[in-house]
Amino acid sequence: MAKEISEVCAGKLREIRRKRGLTLQGFEALSNGSVKAVVLGSYERGTRAVSLERLEHIAGLYEVPIQYFLGIS
């Protein structure tokens, strides 16, 4: 189950960034450098685990509830 959640989260991270028309570098700029492009890319590929604290920060930058990244409507 944990793997399923991480896969959903990774897909949602990539999905929202693309929907907003942002590149990885564009998101890094949006975050004022608090989330590096290479790190976000790792989260999106699922090769690096994202902490709940970091996910909450990213959700705030996108102005969506954290539940969005967990596939919960």
Side-chain angles (χ1 to χ4, degrees), residues 3-19:
K3 186 172 183 174
E4 293 172 12
I5 291 171
S6 64
E7 289 173 0
V8 168
C9 184
K12 291 289 190 178
L13 282 165
R14 179 172 282 157
E15 176 184 276
I16 195 168
R17 178 180 56 78
R18 289 181 173 172
K19 281 184 179 179

Side-chain angles (χ1 to χ4, degrees), residues 51-70:
S51 70
L52 285 176
E53 182 179 355
R54 179 56 66 100
L55 193 58
E56 185 175 45
H57 176 65
I58 292 169
L61 292 169
Y62 281 128
E63 299 179 340
V64 297
I66 196 170
Q67 293 90 338
Y68 171 85
F69 298 107
L70 305 176

Side-chain angles (χ1 to χ4, degrees), residues 21-56:
L22 294 169
T23 62
L24 290 169
Q25 292 77 18
F27 183 82
E28 182 176 334
L30 174 72
S31 77
N32 293 317
S34 65
V35 181
K36 300 296 181 192
V38 67
V39 173
L40 183 63
S42 296
Y43 295 156
E44 290 181 359
R45 288 188 303 278
T47 58
R48 183 173 182 164
V50 59
S51 70
L52 285 176
E53 182 179 355
R54 179 56 66 100
L55 193 58
E56 185 175 45

